[in-house]
PDB file of all heavy atoms in Angstrom:
ATOM      1  N   ASN A 163      -4.371 -85.827  38.388  1.00  0.00           N
ATOM      2  CA  ASN A 163      -4.920 -86.926  38.885  1.00  0.00           C
ATOM      3  C   ASN A 163      -5.731 -86.587  40.194  1.00  0.00           C
ATOM      4  O   ASN A 163      -5.777 -87.429  41.156  1.00  0.00           O
ATOM      5  CB  ASN A 163      -4.031 -87.974  39.244  1.00  0.00           C
ATOM      6  CG  ASN A 163      -3.309 -88.446  37.823  1.00  0.00           C
ATOM      7  OD1 ASN A 163      -3.798 -88.221  36.750  1.00  0.00           O
ATOM      8  ND2 ASN A 163      -2.193 -89.151  38.038  1.00  0.00           N
ATOM      9  N   GLU A 164      -6.432 -85.518  40.062  1.00  0.00           N
ATOM     10  CA  GLU A 164      -7.326 -85.005  41.197  1.00  0.00           C
ATOM     11  C   GLU A 164      -6.424 -84.654  42.599  1.00  0.00           C
ATOM     12  O   GLU A 164      -7.050 -84.363  43.465  1.00  0.00           O
ATOM     13  CB  GLU A 164      -8.489 -85.990  41.562  1.00  0.00           C
ATOM     14  CG  GLU A 164      -9.460 -86.223  40.659  1.00  0.00           C
ATOM     15  CD  GLU A 164     -10.254 -84.938  40.328  1.00  0.00           C
ATOM     16  OE1 GLU A 164     -10.433 -83.985  41.202  1.00  0.00           O
ATOM     17  OE2 GLU A 164     -10.617 -84.648  39.146  1.00  0.00           O
ATOM     18  N   LYS A 165      -5.197 -84.664  42.544  1.00  0.00           N
ATOM     19  CA  LYS A 165      -4.317 -84.147  43.632  1.00  0.00           C
ATOM     20  C   LYS A 165      -4.038 -82.668  43.636  1.00  0.00           C
ATOM     21  O   LYS A 165      -3.852 -82.222  42.505  1.00  0.00           O
ATOM     22  CB  LYS A 165      -3.173 -85.062  43.681  1.00  0.00           C
ATOM     23  CG  LYS A 165      -3.425 -86.613  44.070  1.00  0.00           C
ATOM     24  CD  LYS A 165      -2.336 -87.407  44.543  1.00  0.00           C
ATOM     25  CE  LYS A 165      -1.385 -87.493  43.318  1.00  0.00           C
ATOM     26  NZ  LYS A 165      -0.443 -88.642  43.568  1.00  0.00           N
ATOM     27  N   TYR A 166      -3.713 -82.138  44.688  1.00  0.00           N
ATOM     28  CA  TYR A 166      -2.894 -80.769  44.827  1.00  0.00           C
ATOM     29  C   TYR A 166      -3.943 -79.652  44.634  1.00  0.00           C
ATOM     30  O   TYR A 166      -3.543 -78.509  44.598  1.00  0.00           O
ATOM     31  CB  TYR A 166      -1.894 -80.650  43.854  1.00  0.00           C
ATOM     32  CG  TYR A 166      -0.786 -81.690  43.915  1.00  0.00           C
ATOM     33  CD1 TYR A 166      -0.382 -82.395  42.941  1.00  0.00           C
ATOM     34  CD2 TYR A 166      -0.108 -81.857  45.188  1.00  0.00           C
ATOM     35  CE1 TYR A 166       0.595 -83.384  42.991  1.00  0.00           C
ATOM     36  CE2 TYR A 166       0.812 -82.744  45.367  1.00  0.00           C
ATOM     37  CZ  TYR A 166       1.252 -83.544  44.235  1.00  0.00           C
ATOM     38  OH  TYR A 166       2.266 -84.503  44.438  1.00  0.00           O
ATOM     39  N   ARG A 167      -5.175 -79.909  44.471  1.00  0.00           N
ATOM     40  CA  ARG A 167      -6.150 -78.689  44.293  1.00  0.00           C
ATOM     41  C   ARG A 167      -6.082 -77.791  45.486  1.00  0.00           C
ATOM     42  O   ARG A 167      -6.437 -76.690  45.455  1.00  0.00           O
ATOM     43  CB  ARG A 167      -7.652 -79.272  44.038  1.00  0.00           C
ATOM     44  CG  ARG A 167      -7.919 -79.956  42.745  1.00  0.00           C
ATOM     45  CD  ARG A 167      -9.338 -80.169  42.404  1.00  0.00           C
ATOM     46  NE  ARG A 167      -9.669 -80.970  41.504  1.00  0.00           N
ATOM     47  CZ  ARG A 167      -9.615 -80.797  40.138  1.00  0.00           C
ATOM     48  NH1 ARG A 167      -9.352 -79.514  39.617  1.00  0.00           N
ATOM     49  NH2 ARG A 167      -9.991 -81.799  39.299  1.00  0.00           N
ATOM     50  N   ASN A 168      -5.914 -78.379  46.656  1.00  0.00           N
ATOM     51  CA  ASN A 168      -5.843 -77.641  47.833  1.00  0.00           C
ATOM     52  C   ASN A 168      -4.608 -76.850  48.134  1.00  0.00           C
ATOM     53  O   ASN A 168      -4.517 -76.147  49.240  1.00  0.00           O
ATOM     54  CB  ASN A 168      -6.250 -78.550  49.191  1.00  0.00           C
ATOM     55  CG  ASN A 168      -5.182 -79.731  49.206  1.00  0.00           C
ATOM     56  OD1 ASN A 168      -4.647 -80.191  48.213  1.00  0.00           O
ATOM     57  ND2 ASN A 168      -4.885 -80.068  50.377  1.00  0.00           N
ATOM     58  N   LEU A 169      -3.591 -76.919  47.349  1.00  0.00           N
ATOM     59  CA  LEU A 169      -2.517 -76.100  47.588  1.00  0.00           C
ATOM     60  C   LEU A 169      -2.733 -74.557  47.390  1.00  0.00           C
ATOM     61  O   LEU A 169      -3.432 -74.238  46.615  1.00  0.00           O
ATOM     62  CB  LEU A 169      -1.273 -76.436  46.699  1.00  0.00           C
ATOM     63  CG  LEU A 169      -0.685 -77.841  46.597  1.00  0.00           C
ATOM     64  CD1 LEU A 169       0.323 -77.967  45.604  1.00  0.00           C
ATOM     65  CD2 LEU A 169      -0.121 -78.224  48.024  1.00  0.00           C
ATOM     66  N   PRO A 170      -2.272 -73.772  48.395  1.00  0.00           N
ATOM     67  CA  PRO A 170      -2.629 -72.322  48.324  1.00  0.00           C
ATOM     68  C   PRO A 170      -1.900 -71.614  47.136  1.00  0.00           C
ATOM     69  O   PRO A 170      -2.115 -70.400  46.733  1.00  0.00           O
ATOM     70  CB  PRO A 170      -2.173 -71.785  49.638  1.00  0.00           C
ATOM     71  CG  PRO A 170      -1.196 -72.708  50.287  1.00  0.00           C
ATOM     72  CD  PRO A 170      -1.646 -74.101  49.616  1.00  0.00           C
ATOM     73  N   ASP A 171      -0.721 -72.165  46.631  1.00  0.00           N
ATOM     74  CA  ASP A 171       0.149 -71.518  45.679  1.00  0.00           C
ATOM     75  C   ASP A 171      -0.082 -72.283  44.353  1.00  0.00           C
ATOM     76  O   ASP A 171      -0.528 -73.510  44.295  1.00  0.00           O
ATOM     77  CB  ASP A 171       1.710 -71.703  45.974  1.00  0.00           C
ATOM     78  CG  ASP A 171       2.026 -71.380  47.321  1.00  0.00           C
ATOM     79  OD1 ASP A 171       1.713 -70.024  47.797  1.00  0.00           O
ATOM     80  OD2 ASP A 171       2.490 -72.090  48.130  1.00  0.00           O
ATOM     81  N   VAL A 172       0.237 -71.570  43.161  1.00  0.00           N
ATOM     82  CA  VAL A 172       0.297 -72.388  41.914  1.00  0.00           C
ATOM     83  C   VAL A 172       1.721 -72.755  41.809  1.00  0.00           C
ATOM     84  O   VAL A 172       2.730 -72.050  41.995  1.00  0.00           O
ATOM     85  CB  VAL A 172      -0.085 -71.410  40.760  1.00  0.00           C
ATOM     86  CG1 VAL A 172       0.238 -72.077  39.414  1.00  0.00           C
ATOM     87  CG2 VAL A 172      -1.568 -71.045  40.777  1.00  0.00           C
ATOM     88  N   CYS A 173       1.912 -74.177  41.593  1.00  0.00           N
ATOM     89  CA  CYS A 173       3.276 -74.781  41.516  1.00  0.00           C
ATOM     90  C   CYS A 173       3.359 -75.502  40.209  1.00  0.00           C
ATOM     91  O   CYS A 173       2.510 -76.051  39.629  1.00  0.00           O
ATOM     92  CB  CYS A 173       3.357 -75.803  42.610  1.00  0.00           C
ATOM     93  SG  CYS A 173       3.146 -75.116  44.244  1.00  0.00           S
ATOM     94  N   ARG A 174       4.750 -75.531  39.712  1.00  0.00           N
ATOM     95  CA  ARG A 174       5.175 -76.321  38.671  1.00  0.00           C
ATOM     96  C   ARG A 174       5.250 -77.826  39.101  1.00  0.00           C
ATOM     97  O   ARG A 174       5.670 -77.947  40.054  1.00  0.00           O
ATOM     98  CB  ARG A 174       6.523 -76.044  38.200  1.00  0.00           C
ATOM     99  CG  ARG A 174       6.881 -74.793  37.629  1.00  0.00           C
ATOM    100  CD  ARG A 174       8.390 -74.883  37.231  1.00  0.00           C
ATOM    101  NE  ARG A 174       8.582 -73.555  36.617  1.00  0.00           N
ATOM    102  CZ  ARG A 174       9.101 -72.418  37.124  1.00  0.00           C
ATOM    103  NH1 ARG A 174       9.457 -72.574  38.500  1.00  0.00           N
ATOM    104  NH2 ARG A 174       9.253 -71.377  36.531  1.00  0.00           N
ATOM    105  N   LEU A 175       4.767 -78.604  38.166  1.00  0.00           N
ATOM    106  CA  LEU A 175       4.894 -80.020  38.534  1.00  0.00           C
ATOM    107  C   LEU A 175       6.290 -80.366  37.787  1.00  0.00           C
ATOM    108  O   LEU A 175       6.356 -80.643  36.601  1.00  0.00           O
ATOM    109  CB  LEU A 175       3.761 -80.935  37.747  1.00  0.00           C
ATOM    110  CG  LEU A 175       3.648 -82.293  38.252  1.00  0.00           C
ATOM    111  CD1 LEU A 175       3.408 -82.443  39.781  1.00  0.00           C
ATOM    112  CD2 LEU A 175       2.500 -82.972  37.395  1.00  0.00           C
ATOM    113  N   VAL A 176       7.418 -80.506  38.652  1.00  0.00           N
ATOM    114  CA  VAL A 176       8.574 -80.702  38.076  1.00  0.00           C
ATOM    115  C   VAL A 176       8.886 -82.164  37.644  1.00  0.00           C
ATOM    116  O   VAL A 176       9.440 -82.309  36.627  1.00  0.00           O
ATOM    117  CB  VAL A 176       9.745 -80.270  39.064  1.00  0.00           C
ATOM    118  CG1 VAL A 176      11.097 -80.407  38.587  1.00  0.00           C
ATOM    119  CG2 VAL A 176       9.559 -78.851  39.520  1.00  0.00           C
ATOM    120  N   ARG A 177       8.459 -83.043  38.472  1.00  0.00           N
ATOM    121  CA  ARG A 177       8.536 -84.434  38.121  1.00  0.00           C
ATOM    122  C   ARG A 177       7.222 -85.179  38.554  1.00  0.00           C
ATOM    123  O   ARG A 177       6.742 -84.989  39.648  1.00  0.00           O
ATOM    124  CB  ARG A 177       9.633 -85.034  38.907  1.00  0.00           C
ATOM    125  CG  ARG A 177      10.085 -86.503  38.405  1.00  0.00           C
ATOM    126  CD  ARG A 177      11.534 -86.635  39.078  1.00  0.00           C
ATOM    127  NE  ARG A 177      11.435 -86.598  40.615  1.00  0.00           N
ATOM    128  CZ  ARG A 177      11.014 -87.588  41.440  1.00  0.00           C
ATOM    129  NH1 ARG A 177      10.706 -88.786  40.854  1.00  0.00           N
ATOM    130  NH2 ARG A 177      10.984 -87.455  42.671  1.00  0.00           N
TER     131      ARG A 177
END
Side-chain angles (χ1 to χ4, degrees):
N163 298 343
E164 292 300 327
K165 293 191 294 197
Y166 303 123
R167 292 195 195 274
N168 57 327
L169 295 179
D171 312 304
V172 169
C173 299
R174 288 190 178 92
L175 189 63
V176 180
R177 193 168 54 89

